Amino acid sequence: MSKEIILNAFEMNSSMHNSHGFWKHPESKRHRRYKDLDYWIDLAKKLEKGKFDAVFFADVLGIYDVYRKSKEPSIRDGLQVPLNDPALLVSAMASVTEHLSFAVTVSTTYEPPFGNARRFSTLDHLTKGRIAWNVVTSYLPNAARNFGLQNMIKHDERYSIADEYLDVSYKLWEQSWEDGAVVEDIENEKLVDPEKVHEINHEGHYFSVEGPHLSEPSLQRTPVIYQAGTSERGREFASRHAECIFVGGPTPERIRYYIDDIRKRAESHGRNPEKIKFFSFLSVIVAETTEEAEKKFEEYNKVWSADAAKAQYGASGYDIAEYEELDPDLPFEYTKKTEGGHYKAAALTKDAPKKLTVGEVLNRFESLDRNSIIVGNPSEVADAIQFQFEESGVDGFNLNHLVTPGDLESFIDLVIPELQKRGLYKTEYKNGTLREKLFPEGKSTLPEDHPGSKYRRVIEKQQ
């Protein structure tokens, strides 16, 4: 049987996600209903109907304020603001589904690991093993100031913090509690065996944590680890820790380059590189006919917000407004190094198919990027998805949707059946935890070659 596409719905607990200006579209419901729990419950049911593997919740900890050195463009157009905590949606969405999983974004830069470990253990218990953690290091200057820092921690140091953060987390999840620690021994008046619950006594450069972990082991112990980052330091971090990795690029060839590079790095860490799943982003506008899809595209273009798109690009650390007064024929180049998201910066330079001019870059923000959106009837859309899937070597996609929930509903009703007909997409869910669904040859817990599993082995040796 051919490899099947793994599909996540790319979401955010906010008024708008990556659909800049689309709150103005008459069919947009999310900016009115994202605060309504029934909206998310309905969405969970729709996604399970479409056999989606997971809903992937992005998150940020501040306002995009690099563009024009102001928060005003982001706030005015609802660029990922207002924004609520995504983790608080999971229990309700899990309660009305059986198989849909949940990847929650949490930064390692500002919140200590002890509380975060309990959060994910709790979610893994309540979802019966359907939880993943998307590990990020945060790229917004406003986020740093929101947590009491005058300046952002430097890009590479944020990954050093993340490395130790993950080691602390593994100790809490894998090492602190032995299997069978909860004994429920009425005769000896012992609910939990103290000899099977251990302090971790972590003393590191960034963190000091005594333990023990407050939660007993969940089905997966450690949630499935997701990560996105194509910088040098990001790829190194991903190759050590991540089980699912998001890679972006303008062409299938560039995406495959990042996949091959990370696999080589993973092998150097003693991991089986073939046991890592890779994802890229997918945006689709689909209708019954090509003409109807093209009409949708034109309608969407009319509500597009260039200012919001430019504001989001500020995650790179670069203010695109500084280029608006330059000669448009000049080559587009950065004149300084920033501590923002390197993958954003690379999209217009080293990852671009050709050397761009200032004018070409500025024009990219003025309308929907037709080159990054698949537009067509169900067969045409499936053709393009199949090409990307086979040529890039990814295992699946994070599906972005512009008008919510209409675009998701159209994808489920029109594209999913076409992919299933081609044998590219499941017709039924597999049983088990998220990790077992993603890696059916393994177990619900971390594989033996993952660095986090060494902490579990410490306990096993003591027994």
Side-chain angles (χ1 to χ4, degrees), residues 235-300:
R235 280 177 278 153
E236 183 61 25
F237 178 86
S239 69
R240 179 171 181 244
H241 297 285
E243 299 170 88
C244 298
I245 301 171
F246 296 96
V247 291
T251 64
E253 292 76 19
R254 189 63 180 173
I255 291 171
R256 189 176 285 276
Y257 164 79
Y258 284 129
I259 290 173
D260 291 343
D261 177 75
I262 293 170
R263 287 197 197 281
K264 289 177 184 175
R265 293 169 187 257
E267 195 168 14
S268 73
H269 291 298
R271 299 181 64 191
N272 182 344
E274 300 306 317
K275 302 302 181 186
I276 300 173
K277 302 294 184 183
F278 290 88
F279 297 78
S280 62
F281 293 101
L282 182 66
S283 287
V284 169
I285 298 174
V286 65
E288 292 277 4
T289 68
T290 306
E291 293 73 24
E292 290 172 318
E294 293 291 348
K295 184 179 178 181
K296 266 191 184 182
F297 179 83
E298 292 305 319
E299 289 174 354
Y300 289 5

Side-chain angles (χ1 to χ4, degrees), residues 6 26 44 47 79 125 152 167 172-173 217 251 261 289-290 295 314-315 378 384 445 459:
I6 302 168
L47 295 175
L79 172 58
H125 280 299
M152 289 177 67
D167 285 340
L172 291 166
W173 288 322
T251 64
D261 177 75
T289 68
T290 306
K295 184 179 178 181
T445 53
I459 293 299

Side-chain angles (χ1 to χ4, degrees), residues 15-47:
S15 58
M16 287 283 102
H17 188 194
N18 290 335
S19 47
H20 306 312
F22 277 65
W23 58 270
K24 301 187 293 288
H25 193 281
E27 294 180 17
S28 176
K29 296 180 181 178
R30 66 174 301 133
H31 65 287
R32 299 188 192 98
R33 295 198 60 206
Y34 80 97
K35 310 177 293 294
D36 180 354
L37 194 57
D38 288 337
Y39 170 82
W40 296 103
I41 288 171
D42 291 343
L43 181 67
K45 292 176 180 178
K46 286 184 176 76
L47 295 175

Side-chain angles (χ1 to χ4, degrees), residues 108-109 137-139 152-164 205-206 229-237 265 337-343:
T108 56
T109 301
T137 63
S138 295
Y139 50 45
M152 289 177 67
I153 298 170
K154 291 187 179 299
H155 177 276
D156 286 3
E157 186 179 4
R158 296 201 301 271
Y159 277 107
S160 296
I161 294 170
D163 268 320
E164 187 178 336
H205 184 72
Y206 298 104
T230 52
S231 69
E232 175 72 22
R233 193 67 178 82
R235 280 177 278 153
E236 183 61 25
F237 178 86
R265 293 169 187 257
K337 181 183 177 184
T338 78
E339 302 304 330
H342 288 189
Y343 79 97

Side-chain angles (χ1 to χ4, degrees), residues 299-311:
E299 289 174 354
Y300 289 5
N301 238 341
K302 291 175 184 176
V303 297
W304 174 258
S305 169
D307 264 10
K310 292 174 183 177

Side-chain angles (χ1 to χ4, degrees), residues 8-9 11 40-41 43-45 47-48 52-57 86-105 120 123-124 126-134 220 223-226 433-434 438:
N8 303 319
E11 263 296 353
W40 296 103
I41 288 171
L43 181 67
K45 292 176 180 178
L47 295 175
E48 185 138 302
F52 274 68
D53 293 273
V55 53
F56 179 99
F57 283 109
L88 300 182
L89 299 174
V90 171
S91 295
M93 297 176 78
S95 72
V96 297
T97 54
E98 183 181 354
H99 295 284
L100 182 70
S101 294
F102 307 89
V104 180
T105 297
F120 276 100
L123 290 173
D124 203 49
L126 295 177
T127 62
K128 296 181 173 64
R130 291 186 277 154
I131 202 72
W133 174 21
N134 177 45
Q220 296 186 121
V224 175
I225 303 296
Y226 282 59
T433 64
L434 173 57
L438 291 170

